[in-house]
Amino acid sequence: MPRTLIWLLLCSGCVFGCCTGAAAAGPSSGSETGSLSEAGRYQAYAGNVIALDRLDQASLTVSVYSYLGSERFQKLVDASVESPELCIRFLSEKKYTEGQRRIAILAMYKLSIDQYVSFVGNLAKLRDKALISPEELQHALFPRFSVDMIYENYEDKRIRLLLGEMEARDDIRPDLKSEIARILSGEALEERRRFYRECCSVLH
Amino acid sequence: MPDYSLVPVDYQPDFGGYSLVPVDYDPFAADGLAQQAQIQQPPTPAQPAQPQPQPQQPATGAGQPGVTGPATGNSPSGSGGGAGVGNAGIGPSNTTWAQGGAPAFTPLDGYANPTPTESLVNQAQKEPKKVQVDLVTADSSADRGSSDIHQKIVDRASVQIGSGDWHFNVAKGNFGPNKDKCNLFVYDMLTDAGASPGLPNGHWWNPYPPTAENWADPSFAIPGWRVLGSGESPQPGDVVGQRIQWENGATGHVMIVGPNATFIGVGTSEKIESVAPKTMGGIYPDPKTRPGGLLVYRRYEH
């Protein structure tokens, strides 16, 4: 009996150890925060968002595109790709400012399609709990720096399923619902391509 | 906005080796600005934040400091409009930029350095009521017709501060949702003020306004809008453009020069903002990686 008990304790210790090890080791690949614990990684992430927001205001950035060239922002982007759940957790906490939350969403622009679909799905759940605003959900749905990805992949089943779910929601603006319908039909991509051909060139 | 000070006191961006303003000096860096800001003159009696009909202030002419400032009018490319000779408007010593405690700017090759005590964004947001005061004084040197237009431009733009009508994911005009609209905002304000830059792009049946890149290209002719020459200083109502090639295809940014050394246009929040002049390219610790070309200013002259 004591031997069985010891064995059980050892096993549970192994399992626990493996879990924590996985949690710690998961993000370590290619990340400077890799050696940090889950909590530490989140704190580092949140700290980066806050610092970026401060830097933004201190340096008087005048265009949203300014973030793209910021090394600190790119670190945030990398962390977001590596662990999208960091942003989800960040947004689920009410203590952060609107500007900080906006930066966190902006940094999600390099997600894969799978990551993007999962991220927006999770944000819809946060929205259902009133933890994020409708605008934040819409900004996540149409990522500022990579929105073309949605238009160009409108035939992808994952994208179509997500857009269909979003279109059915009550908290998506009517004009964006119309845009979703146009995306799903392929019309929006065609129009978008025409826009970029014509908006910036003298054609007449 | 957060309710805490966000300016790291020791933050000193490195802007070495960059010159964003194709004119000889930074109009926002006049020595007088700092002095005026420190004096903290009491604000001019209550001026409404909303635009008002332009008061009939007499032009002060020679008595107005700075109105006869340098105006060589040498456009960088020799094109883009008129010769640029004449009253350049506000000179380095003109205090109109500093009224109401405008922030102290440090000339750094065309960049303005934030004061170490407070975000200039915050300061700009605290100063909306100074708009009319500065405009009235600032336009005293120019002919009334053009000045009226310039003031109208600033008036129209100032009214829109905080508006989300030109937000990225909002449709406006023939710009659908999820499209950049910084140039559309500028076009709308100019057109509303009677200084339309025209619709040079697209087809005649579906035309588009000048892009930010167009505004920033001195060789791109925009009817009525000449490129400021060397030695000329920007005034409220001018347009500033910068070419920046971003990875997603965006080509630059364009805004309207506002009063108190501000730019008005689509800001980082995607709403219309009034911000202090700064690198349009944004936050780049390493100058080698900082994208963006020169700031090119244009002025309406009909």
Side-chain angles (χ1 to χ4, degrees):
Chain A
M1 185 63 185
R3 187 174 294 175
T4 307
L5 187 61
I6 290 170
W7 182 84
L8 281 172
L9 283 172
L10 283 173
C11 281
S12 63
C14 274
V15 169
F16 182 73
C18 288
C19 286
T20 52
S28 66
S29 54
S31 169
E32 65 180 27
T33 59
S35 59
L36 297 175
S37 66
E38 193 74 31
R41 277 197 313 131
Y42 177 69
Q43 288 308 317
Y45 171 87
N48 259 339
V49 175
I50 293 168
L52 193 62
D53 186 45
R54 286 179 177 165
L55 183 60
D56 175 17
Q57 298 191 36
S59 60
L60 303 165
T61 310
V62 296
S63 164
V64 69
Y65 286 107
S66 305
Y67 291 114
L68 289 178
S70 160
E71 189 179 341
R72 186 183 289 273
F73 183 73
Q74 289 306 328
K75 283 183 179 175
L76 201 62
V77 171
D78 293 341
S80 301
V81 170
E82 194 172 340
S83 307
E85 69 275 8
L86 293 174
C87 180
I88 295 166
R89 178 175 168 185
F90 187 86
L91 295 173
S92 70
E93 297 185 14
K94 289 272 190 179
K95 62 183 177 184
Y96 299 111
T97 67
E98 187 181 332
Q100 291 161 356
R101 298 163 69 85
R102 184 172 50 83
I103 288 171
I105 295 173
L106 279 173
M108 303 299 282
Y109 79 98
K110 282 189 178 174
L111 301 183
S112 67
I113 290 180
D114 278 334
Q115 285 179 316
Y116 161 75
V117 168
S118 170
F119 173 63
V120 177
N122 276 300
L123 259 54
K125 291 175 187 170
L126 293 187
R127 173 64 201 140
D128 292 339
K129 296 175 186 173
L131 291 173
I132 67 170
S133 68
E135 290 74 25
E136 287 169 338
L137 177 59
Q138 286 159 181
H139 293 168
L141 177 60
F142 293 108
R144 181 64 174 84
F145 299 132
S146 58
V147 73
D148 283 331
M149 177 265 292
I150 301 167
Y151 287 82
E152 288 164 3
N153 291 286
Y154 77 96
E155 292 179 305
D156 187 287
K157 287 180 182 174
R158 296 163 293 178
I159 297 278
R160 295 187 72 82
L161 184 61
L162 175 70
L163 291 179
E165 289 172 2
M166 292 296 119
E167 191 181 14
R169 293 183 64 93
D170 294 333
D171 48 7
I172 299 293
R173 289 201 324 255
D175 61 318
L176 292 183
K177 286 189 176 191
S178 300
E179 184 69 359
I180 289 173
R182 292 175 66 251
I183 292 172
L184 290 172
S185 71
E187 178 191 345
L189 176 62
E190 195 176 318
E191 186 277 331
R192 196 169 182 81
R193 286 175 174 164
R194 184 172 61 245
F195 174 84
Y196 285 122
R197 255 195 332 268
E198 299 180 356
C199 76
C200 312
S201 305
V202 181
L203 299 173
H204 43 252
Chain B
M1 290 294 293
D3 56 357
Y4 47 81
S5 174
L6 294 174
V7 181
V9 172
D10 58 352
Y11 175 69
Q12 292 293 330
D14 179 10
F15 296 132
Y18 274 75
S19 175
L20 290 184
V21 187
V23 291
D24 283 346
Y25 76 96
D26 181 353
F28 305 123
D31 292 338
L33 298 182
Q35 294 164 5
Q36 288 289 323
Q38 290 162 1
I39 291 171
Q40 292 187 344
Q41 293 176 336
T44 305
Q47 292 289 330
Q50 296 298 315
Q52 300 290 315
Q54 181 178 343
Q56 294 302 307
Q57 293 271 343
T60 53
Q64 184 68 25
V67 295
T68 55
T72 59
N74 293 325
S75 164
S77 67
S79 63
V85 179
N87 287 332
I90 305 169
S93 61
N94 191 310
T95 58
T96 55
W97 288 97
Q99 283 194 351
F105 294 94
T106 304
L108 285 171
D109 291 338
Y111 287 88
N113 208 17
T115 163
T117 55
E118 185 178 12
S119 161
L120 298 185
V121 173
N122 292 341
Q123 286 211 17
Q125 290 172 341
K126 290 176 182 175
E127 298 293 330
K129 295 183 178 179
K130 303 298 188 296
V131 169
Q132 291 301 313
V133 180
D134 295 335
L135 285 173
V136 168
T137 315
D139 69 6
S140 60
S141 65
D143 73 272
R144 298 305 293 180
S146 290
S147 291
D148 285 347
I149 295 288
H150 297 151
Q151 178 164 348
K152 282 180 184 175
I153 292 168
V154 178
D155 286 349
R156 302 296 193 275
S158 298
V159 165
Q160 298 299 337
I161 292 172
S163 169
D165 287 356
W166 290 267
H167 194 289
F168 178 72
N169 68 19
V170 171
K172 188 160 183 62
N174 56 354
F175 285 61
N178 300 321
K179 294 189 177 76
D180 292 303
K181 300 176 185 72
C182 66
N183 62 323
L184 181 61
F185 169 74
V186 169
Y187 171 82
D188 286 347
M189 296 304 102
L190 304 186
T191 302
D192 197 26
S196 174
L199 294 161
N201 294 318
H203 295 289
W204 62 268
W205 65 86
N206 187 28
Y208 292 95
T211 63
E213 185 181 14
N214 294 155
W215 283 105
D217 179 1
S219 67
F220 188 92
I222 298 177
W225 287 86
R226 70 170 178 86
V227 176
L228 291 196
S230 175
E232 290 187 282
S233 56
Q235 291 181 355
D238 290 347
V239 170
V240 55
Q242 185 186 27
R243 174 169 164 69
I244 317 168
Q245 188 61 59
W246 296 111
E247 59 188 72
N248 73 339
T251 60
H253 198 45
V254 60
M255 300 180 94
I256 290 170
V257 177
N260 281 335
T262 56
F263 291 154
I264 303 172
V266 179
T268 55
S269 69
E270 308 280 359
K271 294 180 178 177
I272 304 305
E273 297 177 6
S274 171
V275 298
K278 182 63 177 178
T279 162
M280 300 269 279
I283 41 184
Y284 304 100
D286 180 4
K288 292 176 183 173
T289 64
R290 190 185 306 135
L294 297 174
L295 296 189
V296 175
Y297 291 92
R298 292 181 188 246
R299 178 167 303 156
Y300 181 70
E301 288 183 356
H302 58 93

